[in-house]
Amino acid sequence: MQITTATKLVGLIGHPVAHSLSPVLHNSVYQSLGLDMVYHAFDVTPDKLETAIDGFLALGFLGFNVTIPYKEKVYNILESRDAEAQIIGAVNTVKIENGILKGYNTDGQGFIMHMKNLGYSFYGKDVVILGAGGAARAIGIYIAKEGAASIRIVNRTFHKADILAGVINDYMERRIAKASSDILSNADFIINTTSLGMWPDIESNPLKGLTLSKHSVVCDIVYNPRHTAMLKYARQQGCKTCDGVGMLIGQAVRAIEIWLEYSLPKNIWDKMNQEIGKVIF
Ligand code: ATR
């Protein structure tokens, strides 16, 4: 592609960002769709965070993504955030429009888009979420919004699961979520949002030793490795599985849609899957 003065700029801020897959994913989409945009990852130290954001504003960036450790910090310096980002309390996507920064959290939306893409719906379903951190919060809110019948949150630290259940119930204005130590009974979906199984801890499996029902769909948001120990275990027990790469793609698609204000064609998922398949196995 040719970069000109008209090329729109977007990027990622985090610390560190060297291993981020976002530049590969985003730039491949822009190329496939013939979009005159370029995406770059910026490693910004904490003392330069606000200066970097002022820089994006001054340089006319369309927006930017935010990753660890800045999702909450950037949330706190924004003028405006969408309703779900306000409940999640963290943003990973910012749109810049007329000098105003508006924040979104595409973690949950990306996950839901990925599941819909695979033909799954959460409407009326019983869902178990493993973990109660930022990712669980983002995913839990959107699963509730999709009409899940119940959400059980299973977490090493029980009181954090209890807090998250309260946040989801307040958002929905009804009691659909609860903290639980029971992973299995009646679960239509089991979703791991913890870091268990992530490289280099690749042997860890939060479902180890449990007998799974074949009708449970088991999902991992860990994508490195793509085939986690938990997903292999679930497949051995006859369950359908969804890997974390899909959510990664969904987050990127949703961010681009927020920046451009239109929906991307469905076939872009296959292209992104191919690109990511070159770097994640
Ligand atoms: P993220 O933003 O990626 O969700 P986070 O907010 O730090 O990250 O949340 C990490 C989640 O993984 C938490 O639910 C954490 O459990 P605790 O609340 O008990 O800390 C869970 N987690 C991380 N390491 C874990 C481990 N070794 N065993 C079980 N749960 C773990």
Side-chain angles (χ1 to χ4, degrees), residues 179-200:
S180 171
S181 42
D182 171 20
I183 297 185
L184 295 173
S185 54
N186 305 321
D188 294 306
F189 293 93
I190 301 173
I191 304 159
N192 176 46
T193 70
T194 75
S195 49
L196 289 170
M198 189 188 295
W199 191 88

Side-chain angles (χ1 to χ4, degrees), residues 191-261:
I191 304 159
N192 176 46
T193 70
T194 75
S195 49
L196 289 170
M198 189 188 295
W199 191 88
D201 176 33
I202 59 171
E203 300 300 330
S204 285
N205 165 15
L207 300 178
K208 194 173 180 180
L210 298 173
T211 305
L212 305 177
S213 156
K214 280 189 177 54
H215 98 273
S216 295
V217 178
V218 177
C219 309
D220 211 333
I221 71 161
V222 172
Y223 59 80
N224 184 18
R226 185 169 195 159
H227 304 286
T228 58
M230 183 188 79
L231 294 182
K232 286 182 192 162
Y233 181 81
R235 283 198 287 267
Q236 277 162 9
Q237 299 209 20
C239 298
K240 291 205 170 85
T241 60
C242 315
D243 65 45
V245 166
M247 175 173 157
L248 197 67
I249 293 175
Q251 288 169 318
V253 167
R254 189 63 204 122
I256 298 166
E257 290 183 346
I258 287 168
W259 291 329
L260 297 179
E261 295 181 12

Side-chain angles (χ1 to χ4, degrees), residues 28 51 57 86 91 188:
S28 74
T51 315
L57 268 166
Q86 285 181 42
V91 296
D188 294 306

Side-chain angles (χ1 to χ4, degrees), residues 25-26 29 106 110 113 117 246-260 262-266 268-269 272:
L25 268 181
H26 278 260
V29 174
T106 67
M113 284 171 85
N117 210 27
M247 175 173 157
L248 197 67
I249 293 175
Q251 288 169 318
V253 167
R254 189 63 204 122
I256 298 166
E257 290 183 346
I258 287 168
W259 291 329
L260 297 179
Y262 60 77
S263 300
L264 298 189
K266 285 278 169 272
I268 204 66
W269 287 74
M272 291 170 89

